[in-house]
Structure formats: C-alpha cells, structure tokens
Amino acid sequence: MAEPLRRRLPLFPLLLLAAGGLRAAERSGGSSSAMEELATEKEAEESHRQDSVSLLTFILLLTLTILTIWLFKHRRVRFLHETGLAMIYGLIVGVILRYGTPSTSGHDKPFSCSQEDRPFTTLLVNVSGKFFEYTLKGEISPGKIHNVEQNDMLRKVTFDPEVFFNILLPPIIFHAGYSLKKRHFFRNLGSILAYAFLGTAVSCFIIGNLMYGVVKLMKLVGQLSDKFYYTDCLLFGAIISATDPVTVLAIFNELHADVDLYALLFGESVLNDAVAIVLSSSIVAYQPTGENTHAFDAAAFFKSVGVFLGIFSGSFMMGAVTGVVTALVTKFTKLHCFPLLETALFFLMSWSTFLLAEACGFTGVVAVLFCGITQAHYTYNNLSVESRSRTKQLFEVLHFLAENFIFSYMGLALFTFQKHIFSPVFIIGAFVAIFLGRAAHVYPLSFLLNLGRRHKISWSFQHMMMFSGLRGAMAFALAIRDTATYSHQMMFSTTLLIVFFTVWIVGGGTTPMLSWLNIRVGVDPDQDPPPTNDSFQVLQGDGQDSARRNRTKQESAWLFRLWYSFDHNYLKPILTHSGPPLTTTLPSWCGLIARCLTSPQVYDNQEQLREEDSDFILNDGDLTVTYGDTTITANGSSGPHTATTNLDSRRTKSSSEEALERDLGAADHEVTSRGTRLVFPLEYNA
C-alpha cells in the first residue's frame, strides 16, 4: 500500500500548478475582455462625437446661409436666391470633407457567402463567440469593391434617403397647402389643374421617350456599361418633371409681380409635386407578364393607370379626412383654452398624415398637401388667436429650415455620395429633353386654355412659365430615394446637376427676364387688373370693393363655385363655428342632428352679421339708380321713373355668395361701405 501512495503523492503539486494556471488564464481572459469592452466604449464615444460634428456642420451651414441672406436683403441683391447660397456652402463643405479629412477606418473586409442567393437586410456575425449585428447598406459593384468609403465622417453626413421623405418633406409640402392664397388660386383653378395633371404627364412621356433615344445612342457609341430600360427612362421623366420654382416665386413675392402669374406658377408647383411622385410610383408598379419584364403590355399599362388613380384618390381622401378629424376635435373640445396643447395637437395630426399615408401604401406628399389645404379651410377657424399665429409661424420656420437643409445637402452630396455616374451624353440629352418637355407642357396647354378663359394667358406669361421650370427639392428627394442600380445612379447624378443649373442660372435670371418680358411688378395682391372688355366695369369709386368681390366670384372656376354652396351651407357649420346654422339648411326632420352639430357660436355670428351687415350687403339685382326719367338697374334694364333712388327692396345676399367672397380673400372680415354702385355688364368677346 505504501508504494501506490508514494506514486500518487507527486500528483498534488501538478494539480496545484494546474489550478494556478487556470486562475492565471481566467485573469488573462478577464483582462482581455475588459480591454475589448473599453475599446467598444471608445468606439461608441467616437461615433457619438462624429454624429454631433455632422449635425453641427449642417447647423453651421444654415446659420451661415441665414446671415448671408440678411446681407443680400440688406444690399437688395437678387441675382442669387437663398437656396443657391445653401448649395454653394454645401459644395464648399463637401470639398473640405472629401479632400481635407483623413481616412479614419480601414477595417472593411469582404466575406464570401456563396451558399446564399439573396442579400439579407440584417446580418448576425459571430466573431470569437460574440455576435454583432450588421444592416444592409446597398449593393457595390465588383469593380468598386476597394473604393468603399473609408472616412467615417463622410459616412456620417450621408443621410438615409428616408430622412428626406419622412422628416424634411412633410413641413415643406404642408406649408404649401396651409399658406395657399385661395382667392387667386381658385380664380385660376382650371388652368392650374391642367398644367399640374395633364402638363406633367405630357412632360414625363416626352422626356422619357427622348431619353430612351439618348440611351440607345449611348449604347451605339459604347458609353453604356450596364442595363438601362425604357421604364427607367420614363421614371427619370417623372422625377425630373417635378418643378420647384422656389427661387422664382421668392423673387415674385419680393417684387410683387403679377398675382395671376404667381398663382399659376405656385399652384402648378404645389400640385405638380404630388402628381410627379404618384406618377413615379405608377411607373415602378408597371410589371408586364412574360419573360421580357420591360416590354409594353396593355394589361400592365392599364394597371399602372389604375394604380395612379387609386394612389392619388386614396392619398387625397386620407389627407382630407385627417383635416376633418382635426377640425372636429378642435370644435367639440375646449382646446382653445390651452393654446399650447392646441398647437401641439395640430402639429402632430398634420405630420402624422404623411406617415399614415406612407404606412397604408399611399403617397404622403399628396396626403399632407390636401391635409394642409383642409386644415387652412376648416381647422384654422376653430383655433384660438394664439394658435393661429403659432401654427403659421411654426410651419413657416420648419419649411424654411427644411428646404435650405435639403439644398445644403445637395451641395454636400456632389462630393460625399459614392455612387455617382456622370455621362456627358446623358446629361446633355437630359437638358435638351427637359427644355422640349417644358415647351410641350406650357405652350400647347396655354393655347387650349385660352380658348375658354376670359383673362387670357399672355405670351409674356407663357414665356415666363417656360423659363421658370426649375427643379429642386422634390426631384432630388425622388432621385436619391433609390440609387441601387446603375441606371438610377446615373439618373441621380444628372438630376443633381440639373438642379444646380436651374437654381443658379435660371433663378439668377428671373429679375432680368421679368424686365425683358415687361411683366408688371409692384402689384398689390388685393388689387385686380384694370377692367377689360370681358369683365364688369365699375363707374363709382365707393363701390370698388364690392365690384372686386363680384369679379372674383364671377372669375372663380365654375366647379369650385358649384362645390362652394354645399361646403358653406353644410360642411362649414358641421366642422367650424362659422356658416349658417344647420337648423336653417338641413331638412326639418334632421332637427335633432342639426342642433347637436351646430355650435352656439354659429348663432352668435349669424345674429352679428344680421345686425351689422344688413344695411350694407346688396344683391346686384336689388340696386336701382335713377337719373331724371330713366332708371338704370344692375342687370342693365331701364325704364321711366321719378328722380329717386329705390332701395326699398334691399335685402342681404345669400350667405353662400357672401362667404365665397370672404373666403377667397376679397373681403377678409370687411363690410361694404355705404355708397352708390353702378355696374354695367358688358358683352363677352369669344
């Protein structure tokens, strides 16, 4: 027994040594893990610092732009707009970031996954027993595998395209609808709809077909290195047809250019953006059956048309419904007692319209545009005085900052975007196609519209509209949203150059063009053009405001006038505190519903109107002026009469007509002063 025991004794020192070695290994492993955690924390801290620097860069860009804008306004410099300034500053910063900052990372290593036949959105990678999550950034061509961006700072300032759509575009589009000047807009509604819908479609197909010819030419001369389909050309036509004459409109507003020209350009640009984005969605949805997925297919074509109509109508309804819901909430609650809560709810409901439409498969741009128009028409009347001022100023500031941010980013993107493909043939062809598409958009439609307009669109107006077809934020946002393929990368690079050219060259030439075309400037927006032989002539100075309101009503689009009576008699009393009581407009059997939906303020407003305005608001047919033995009435009839003025048949106008004039901006909370008004209707010239 002693011998085995002696043989076992040497095992104890070995076990002790092994235990000590394990403890040492554990301490070594623990220190290694601690070092890894420390390195990870340092990387996270560095990433946070770079995020702060990238955001600070854009804030400094906007600050510098604002100061320069003030200097330009102080010196009355008009050759360069604020958006052009933002682009120039963005270019300068882009050059500094591209060539003035060193590469800070060099750890990119390609791994082969030959067993997988598709990319994954999220990838979990096992590194020494630790799992790390990676997200898909996009495809990289084999020839550019070694040109991946190694500068972390440049990666930080390259934003996700969804940032533009979900954060920057909503306040820009909503402000356009919320600040709409209804009077001149609805006076030219038919022409605006024709330019926005029919004109944009014509421009899209002309540009698309011309660019398809350019692509064929590039293929012949060997400058096309990858696939470029006809549907890609049509998509480019839809993207580049989105006009954004922000520079021209700003100069028009500063110089007080002709109000009708301003209304035509502004109205077209507002609706044109909505049409362009829905048109691009319809082209993307074009999927022919069969092997050749890019050939013409009648069934796929009509399906795309159906997609266009469905998306546009659905987005329109969603925006209008959200505005109606907000109006009802602000009417039947006492949020007006808390202006801060009222403003916050208005802001959130308006912004959520965009996201709700996108989540439901519609287009947020269309939804938020018509939400803004609905909010201005209904909800605005329910807001407190403080909330009205706050909402106007809030969205005006957001619109200004978002728009200048986008234009600043355009300058940066010229140097920070890594997938640029510049083709001289494609770029020159695009400029020619845009010019021809704009010409086919403006001149033929203007000729057809003039056949039915009382106030003709003059040649000078048409030339100015042709000149003012700038491309801006919407075209850029549509182009950058998808840059995964060769064709889309070329389209994005070309769109960027087109925006630069139109903002700098066309925007800078606006003032000389106005002078060369002899277009009126210094025009009071509330003053109508001089009377012509196709309108009503006012012969008495005291009645100018009344005649202006009458002229506005006569010149408004007939479809709008038909709709407005229903809106004023039923929708306004239901959704706001204005309009006639529903007890007077709805049938008697709806009395209970009418009393529930009509707010007490409606009766107060109606009684106040009856007391204050009953002696001042006249029907044209109720005014009779006599001179000697001849009586002249507003409808042109005359006959023997004594030398008196007959005002015994005086009565108030119908509420819908008065509200139409008031809401169109011709009579903002004003009453007609007492005076004699003599109006002659003249024959219209065909």
Side-chain angles (χ1 to χ4, degrees), residues 135 219 513 533 558:
T135 56
K219 190 174 182 179
M513 184 62 69
N533 60 350
W558 66 270

mmCIF file of all heavy atoms in Angstrom, residues 135 219 513 533 558:
data_model
loop_
_atom_site.group_PDB
_atom_site.id
_atom_site.type_symbol
_atom_site.label_atom_id
_atom_site.label_comp_id
_atom_site.label_asym_id
_atom_site.label_seq_id
_atom_site.Cartn_x
_atom_site.Cartn_y
_atom_site.Cartn_z
ATOM 1 N N THR A 135 -26.411 45.854 -40.814
ATOM 2 C CA THR A 135 -27.570 46.134 -41.657
ATOM 3 C C THR A 135 -27.127 46.375 -43.091
ATOM 4 O O THR A 135 -25.996 46.795 -43.346
ATOM 5 C CB THR A 135 -28.333 47.369 -41.151
ATOM 6 O OG1 THR A 135 -27.427 48.494 -41.090
ATOM 7 C CG2 THR A 135 -28.922 47.124 -39.770
ATOM 8 N N LYS A 219 -25.642 53.447 -76.175
ATOM 9 C CA LYS A 219 -25.317 52.039 -76.397
ATOM 10 C C LYS A 219 -24.559 51.846 -77.697
ATOM 11 O O LYS A 219 -23.636 51.014 -77.780
ATOM 12 C CB LYS A 219 -26.606 51.226 -76.407
ATOM 13 C CG LYS A 219 -26.396 49.719 -76.382
ATOM 14 C CD LYS A 219 -27.714 48.991 -76.248
ATOM 15 C CE LYS A 219 -27.503 47.474 -76.176
ATOM 16 N NZ LYS A 219 -28.802 46.751 -76.027
ATOM 17 N N MET A 513 -35.398 88.695 -66.669
ATOM 18 C CA MET A 513 -36.442 88.157 -67.532
ATOM 19 C C MET A 513 -37.769 88.885 -67.311
ATOM 20 O O MET A 513 -38.510 89.149 -68.269
ATOM 21 C CB MET A 513 -36.602 86.662 -67.269
ATOM 22 C CG MET A 513 -37.603 85.962 -68.176
ATOM 23 S SD MET A 513 -37.153 86.025 -69.926
ATOM 24 C CE MET A 513 -35.726 84.953 -69.945
ATOM 25 N N ASN A 533 -62.677 94.515 -71.562
ATOM 26 C CA ASN A 533 -63.989 94.365 -72.159
ATOM 27 C C ASN A 533 -64.624 93.019 -71.890
ATOM 28 O O ASN A 533 -65.671 92.726 -72.427
ATOM 29 C CB ASN A 533 -63.894 94.580 -73.679
ATOM 30 C CG ASN A 533 -62.965 93.568 -74.318
ATOM 31 O OD1 ASN A 533 -62.271 92.841 -73.626
ATOM 32 N ND2 ASN A 533 -62.940 93.561 -75.645
ATOM 33 N N TRP A 558 -65.970 77.360 -62.313
ATOM 34 C CA TRP A 558 -67.384 77.007 -62.119
ATOM 35 C C TRP A 558 -67.535 75.785 -61.227
ATOM 36 O O TRP A 558 -68.490 75.673 -60.448
ATOM 37 C CB TRP A 558 -68.041 76.747 -63.477
ATOM 38 C CG TRP A 558 -67.494 75.536 -64.191
ATOM 39 C CD1 TRP A 558 -66.452 75.504 -65.066
ATOM 40 C CD2 TRP A 558 -67.959 74.189 -64.065
ATOM 41 N NE1 TRP A 558 -66.230 74.224 -65.500
ATOM 42 C CE2 TRP A 558 -67.148 73.391 -64.908
ATOM 43 C CE3 TRP A 558 -68.976 73.577 -63.333
ATOM 44 C CZ2 TRP A 558 -67.320 72.028 -65.029
ATOM 45 C CZ3 TRP A 558 -69.152 72.212 -63.453
ATOM 46 C CH2 TRP A 558 -68.340 71.450 -64.287
#
